[in-house]
Amino acid sequence: MIKTRNLNPAKLKQVIAGLLLGLSFCHQAQAASASANPADAINKHIYVDQYDLSTNLWGISGAGTNWSETIFTNSTSTMDGAGYKWTGFGGDTSTVKSYPSIRRGASNSQNNPATSGLPYQFGPNTKNVDVLWSFATAGYDGTGNIVGTYNHAIDVFFHSSNIWNTSYLKGEIMVIPDSSANSQTAGWGVKDAASFVLDGETWDVWQATMTSNGNSWPVMQFRKRVNARHFNKNLKYFFAEAARRRADVFKST
């Protein structure tokens, strides 16, 4: 099962179904905000319709004692202009501390299948999964570009069931249009000898195995060789390429 659906890119300014995204946008006004810090180190959420904007404090226990993270939206009806700001992250620089994200689909506790159409069976990789995503790397106060190790990713999970649980997770595809140089070159998995070219743009392909809560699954990353902060693609082409490289993992079932 893939947690996605068909969308019209002309009507989409943000993200699509089932995609776990790292976000960064520059806007002033806020409709809602939520913050986490060492004294309140739990995941915070802002729900807008079928979307869930989350702090996603993946490895925050290793971030030191001086961090803070704020998520915000500018509208009560859309995630356009949503984003995050973080400061003071320390500790071990080789592990993920936080992955602020917009979720849509089965990973979102607010998901209504009758409304979102999620999840559905991906079948023979012929469904259009169009994404139009633009972002800027500045905080909502208009200052401070992101530094350190990071990536902005579209993250898609494939399951053997429509149940959102890691025990059913069989594969993961990440599409990364923008990342820091150190994130592009080392420290994660094995780089395939052959790259992937789509619309004249080159993506390096990395593969690894992720383990969480006692379960393991293959992960394939498509990293854009030349960073871009605007992404307008049909993800089915990435899915088809992943299936070609790992037919044992990315199946129509």
Side-chain angles (χ1 to χ4, degrees), residues 3 5-6 92 144 165 222 241:
K3 284 32 177 196
R5 68 164 179 164
N6 296 327
D92 179 7
N165 186 297
F222 293 89
E241 181 66 11

Side-chain angles (χ1 to χ4, degrees), residues 73-94:
T73 63
N74 295 326
S75 169
T76 58
S77 61
T78 174
M79 279 292 180
D80 288 0
Y84 71 88
K85 183 177 180 180
W86 58 28
T87 60
F89 279 48
D92 179 7
T93 60
S94 66

Side-chain angles (χ1 to χ4, degrees), residues 42-229:
I42 60 174
N43 279 322
K44 300 302 177 70
H45 299 265
I46 301 174
Y47 296 101
V48 177
D49 190 25
Q50 294 298 296
Y51 291 100
D52 170 13
L53 175 61
S54 170
T55 52
N56 198 7
L57 302 174
W58 191 2
I60 204 65
S61 60
T65 59
N66 194 38
W67 61 270
S68 65
E69 181 179 339
T70 298
I71 53 176
F72 61 90
T73 63
N74 295 326
S75 169
T76 58
S77 61
T78 174
M79 279 292 180
D80 288 0
Y84 71 88
K85 183 177 180 180
W86 58 28
T87 60
F89 279 48
D92 179 7
T93 60
S94 66
T95 60
V96 173
K97 304 300 185 300
S98 177
Y99 204 159
S101 310
I102 284 181
R103 295 186 175 99
R104 182 175 173 118
S107 63
N108 177 2
S109 62
Q110 302 291 104
N111 181 55
N112 179 353
T115 302
S116 70
L118 306 174
Y120 66 58
Q121 191 167 23
F122 191 61
N125 292 334
T126 59
K127 292 182 184 293
N128 292 324
V129 189
D130 294 303
V131 180
L132 175 58
W133 180 33
S134 296
F135 56 94
T137 55
Y140 59 72
D141 59 0
T143 64
N145 287 333
I146 292 175
V147 297
T149 301
Y150 66 88
N151 64 56
H152 294 93
I154 299 160
D155 200 353
V156 186
F157 297 93
F158 294 80
H159 288 247
S160 61
S161 169
N162 62 358
I163 299 172
W164 177 254
N165 186 297
T166 55
S167 63
Y168 295 93
L169 183 53
K170 300 302 179 183
E172 178 181 357
I173 291 176
M174 301 182 76
V175 180
I176 302 175
D178 176 65
S179 59
S180 56
N182 45 13
S183 181
Q184 288 181 323
T185 57
W188 191 93
V190 177
K191 183 179 177 180
D192 284 4
S195 59
F196 174 55
V197 178
L198 179 63
D199 299 330
E201 299 172 342
T202 301
W203 302 75
D204 290 321
V205 182
W206 296 67
Q207 298 195 51
T209 299
M210 176 65 74
T211 298
S212 177
N213 297 322
N215 300 294
S216 297
W217 62 92
V219 183
M220 188 174 296
Q221 282 192 355
F222 293 89
R223 302 184 191 177
K224 196 169 187 298
R225 190 171 290 178
V226 178
N227 277 342
R229 294 173 182 172

